[in-house]
Amino acid sequence: MNVSIRTMPEDLRFPAEVAENIRRAAEMVGRLYGVENGEVSVTLTDDEHIHAMNRQYRGIDRPTDVLSFALHESDEPPVEGGPAIDELGDIILSVERAQAQAAEYGHSVRREITFLTVHGMLHLLGYDHIEEQDRIEMEEEQRFVMEKLGISRDDRDDMTLTDHAGERPVETAEQGEGKMDFHGHKSGFVAVIGRPNVGKSTLINTLIGQKIAIMSDKPQTTRNRILCILTKPDMQVVFLDTPGIHKPRHKLGEYMVKAAEGTLKEVDVILFVVDATEKMGPGEYYILERLQATSKPVLLVVNKLDLIEKERALPIISHYTEKYPFAGVVPISAKENENLDALLEEIGKYLPEGPQYYPDDMVTDQPERLIAAELIREKILELTRDEVPHAVAVETEEMKTRENGDAYVRATIYVERESQKGILIGAKGAMLKQIGALARKDIETLLGCRVYLELWVKVKKDWRDRDGVLRNFGFGQEK
């Protein structure tokens, strides 16, 4: 295996052991999967540069730990004894992310660097984790390779990485008796799950103090996992607003449910939000069944308290707590900002001590183009009611700042039928003008400037059941 390693920026410094572990991991993958004659390029970089690459190539406005760009295209992962491949592709690996994740997981930087190299190599060979079964298979392969390398999860090998100039050593988790002191600061990830239309997006928007997740009285409004960040002096909570868990009726629905259920494996705390005005039904029982498989603390959040008499809350709570051992119960009104401080206090009890992952002023990892598209979709749901329910997707084609400081936004609204196109445009374009006027106000709040919004409507037949179209719209692509 020919492994070339470079740095970006060039003055990034790291111990020789890092390069050695990368080569060893890549060579092991080569031997195990029959591509020992392959070539791979590994770039070690920092959060700033990998953040820029995520923005450019994936439309994700945050740093990640590793990126893979395969040069070999194949529908099936290569197997041992298969044909040799000359050029496998490129792996971009953030040294800063590796340091932070080693500290978070309590193992060595050596192990994290090795794991990320294996992860990137498997991506180059055709493995992915978009679908649940693919994710399980890829995790099994990662464990297999790590075992062959002889590096366990509790690996504590000492390694110190330095900053760009090589002047300031950065302590890793294995130094100082294997534990970093965060001085009581807590941080972690919280999944917000529940049946559609129970107020999950309203809850997160109220906590964040800004509209990030779109809201509607229509079920299944949220389609992607939306990461929202709440930063307090002593705590940073990263909320994942998930699509409502429901019985899917098309491929888009299947993706939404997988996104919601997959979130449960990645977080520190789970908020199960229920509607105080609705009786427990099949949807709630379905979610409770899924929660049986998790060991994470689950908080029951009884929302819409403002719509019922207070004495009705206790029987509702009792009914749910008989069905599941919740770590805590908090009745709230997300709309009226009632009892949300108590909810945050309860969440804080179960978050681990840790660093602040995101800057103070960052409230989401979603690019502005995606939020703008979602705000437009929200207005469509509000104005068209049942006429054009969820057969709508919005894609921001262009967003730029003009010389006078105003923003120009051009977006395309996709529907499945010509009749739906006619409804959205309306008589003499009246409906489209109304959608644009309402969406523009929210986008101006988002961008903090005047906005010129241009909307187009196109038909893309049965897009919700077409895998290729769903991928183009960004469903199921993120690592």
Side-chain angles (χ1 to χ4, degrees):
M1 175 69 66
N2 183 7
V3 184
S4 62
I5 300 175
R6 67 187 186 98
T7 59
M8 182 176 63
E10 292 184 359
D11 60 351
L12 182 72
R13 297 288 181 261
F14 54 88
E17 292 91 337
V18 170
E20 181 56 35
N21 278 279
I22 289 171
R23 287 195 179 90
R24 184 165 170 254
E27 289 169 357
M28 178 62 75
V29 172
R31 286 199 299 273
L32 293 174
Y33 295 87
V35 290
E36 56 266 45
N37 293 325
E39 296 181 358
V40 62
S41 170
V42 180
T43 300
L44 294 174
T45 188
D46 55 18
D47 280 0
E48 179 184 350
H49 285 80
I50 206 165
H51 189 164
M53 296 189 76
N54 270 296
R55 246 193 331 256
Q56 180 178 355
Y57 296 108
R58 301 175 67 201
I60 300 172
D61 195 17
R62 61 180 171 87
T64 55
D65 48 17
V66 64
L67 288 171
S68 297
F69 298 95
L71 296 178
H72 172 72
E73 297 287 342
S74 173
D75 292 333
E76 297 293 334
V79 294
E80 188 172 0
I85 302 168
D86 289 330
E87 295 184 22
L88 296 176
D90 302 304
I91 297 172
I92 317 296
L93 194 154
S94 170
V95 174
E96 286 187 72
R97 285 289 90 199
Q99 291 174 205
Q101 289 171 185
E104 177 186 354
Y105 302 141
H107 56 232
S108 70
V109 178
R110 178 182 83 134
R111 185 195 185 281
E112 189 65 19
I113 290 283
T114 304
F115 176 84
L116 294 178
T117 304
V118 171
H119 187 91
M121 287 292 296
L122 290 174
H123 271 311
L124 296 184
L125 296 182
Y127 288 92
D128 64 49
H129 39 63
I130 295 173
E131 301 293 337
E132 178 66 8
Q133 187 55 46
D134 294 336
R135 181 191 64 77
I136 293 171
E137 181 182 1
M138 187 169 181
E139 287 182 356
E140 290 176 353
E141 297 301 319
Q142 287 169 170
R143 282 193 293 270
F144 169 67
V145 178
M146 294 296 282
E147 287 173 2
K148 292 294 184 181
L149 287 164
I151 300 179
S152 65
R153 185 158 189 86
D154 61 354
D155 183 82
R156 313 296 296 173
D157 184 55
D158 189 23
M159 186 183 295
T160 302
L161 302 182
T162 58
D163 68 359
H164 294 182
E167 298 172 352
R168 178 170 51 86
V170 182
E171 286 192 355
T172 59
E174 57 273 22
Q175 295 172 322
E177 298 182 359
K179 185 176 181 181
M180 295 187 73
D181 183 8
F182 297 106
H183 305 289
H185 185 275
K186 291 192 169 186
S187 58
F189 293 80
V190 176
V192 184
I193 67 167
R195 202 165 42 82
N197 205 29
V198 296
K200 300 184 297 295
S201 297
T202 303
L203 170 60
I204 290 181
N205 286 338
T206 305
L207 287 169
I208 299 299
Q210 185 174 336
K211 180 181 282 190
I212 300 298
I214 72 170
M215 300 178 294
S216 168
D217 59 1
K218 310 284 290 180
Q220 302 166 35
T221 300
T222 302
R223 287 176 175 168
N224 285 287
R225 294 186 310 171
I226 299 177
L227 189 151
C228 301
I229 305 148
L230 175 63
T231 302
K232 298 283 188 179
D234 60 343
M235 180 171 67
Q236 188 173 74
V237 188
V238 183
F239 292 98
L240 292 168
D241 180 21
T242 65
I245 298 177
H246 61 283
K247 185 176 181 179
R249 287 182 283 186
H250 41 64
K251 288 186 180 294
L252 174 60
E254 291 173 6
Y255 162 76
M256 290 162 63
V257 172
K258 285 179 181 178
E261 294 182 351
T263 300
L264 304 185
K265 302 178 179 70
E266 305 171 4
V267 297
D268 302 292
V269 181
I270 299 168
L271 303 186
F272 178 26
V273 183
V274 300
D275 185 340
T277 68
E278 298 284 343
K279 293 182 179 180
M280 182 187 288
E284 284 78 16
Y285 283 107
Y286 178 83
I287 294 171
L288 289 173
E289 284 180 14
R290 296 298 182 272
L291 291 175
Q292 298 294 336
T294 184
S295 59
K296 307 294 176 62
V298 181
L299 302 179
L300 176 66
V301 181
V302 183
N303 191 24
K304 305 188 182 181
L305 206 61
D306 56 304
L307 299 181
I308 66 168
E309 298 173 354
K310 295 295 187 288
E311 56 268 22
R312 288 181 53 197
L314 284 177
I316 295 170
I317 292 170
S318 176
H319 193 59
Y320 276 95
T321 53
E322 288 173 359
K323 304 292 189 296
Y324 187 86
F326 294 98
V329 180
V330 187
I332 67 160
S333 168
K335 184 178 179 181
E336 300 298 328
N337 201 353
E338 182 180 347
N339 218 27
L340 297 193
D341 287 341
L343 176 59
L344 287 176
E345 184 177 342
E346 196 69 16
I347 291 171
K349 292 179 183 178
Y350 299 98
L351 289 183
E353 287 195 359
Q356 181 172 315
Y357 296 109
Y358 300 94
D360 290 341
D361 58 351
M362 187 173 178
V363 294
T364 182
D365 71 332
Q366 301 295 312
E368 292 173 338
R369 296 167 70 102
L370 186 144
I371 298 175
E374 286 291 88
L375 292 173
I376 296 166
R377 188 166 68 89
E378 178 185 66
K379 305 312 172 189
I380 295 170
L381 292 174
E382 287 178 7
L383 295 172
T384 60
R385 311 301 300 172
D386 296 326
E387 296 170 300
V388 188
H390 296 284
V392 172
V394 182
E395 189 171 23
T396 303
E397 307 281 358
E398 186 177 0
M399 178 183 284
K400 63 183 179 181
T401 303
R402 292 175 166 171
E403 291 183 1
N404 62 359
D406 294 349
Y408 169 74
V409 178
R410 177 170 57 85
T412 301
I413 302 168
Y414 292 96
V415 292
E416 294 183 316
R417 304 282 186 273
E418 285 290 343
S419 59
Q420 295 165 347
K421 179 179 178 179
I423 292 169
L424 283 182
I425 294 174
K428 297 182 179 179
M431 175 61 76
L432 195 61
K433 289 178 182 176
Q434 192 176 1
I435 292 168
L438 292 175
R440 186 176 63 252
K441 291 180 181 178
D442 280 351
I443 296 172
E444 285 179 341
T445 300
L446 170 70
L447 301 180
C449 65
R450 290 177 56 188
V451 170
Y452 176 80
L453 177 62
E454 184 178 348
L455 297 178
W456 297 84
V457 184
K458 294 183 180 180
V459 176
K460 198 174 283 285
K461 186 175 173 59
D462 297 326
W463 69 265
R464 287 179 295 174
D465 270 318
R466 295 164 62 184
D467 289 328
V469 176
L470 288 173
R471 282 194 296 272
N472 288 339
F473 285 158
F475 295 113
Q477 286 187 336
E478 185 170 345
K479 173 179 174 288

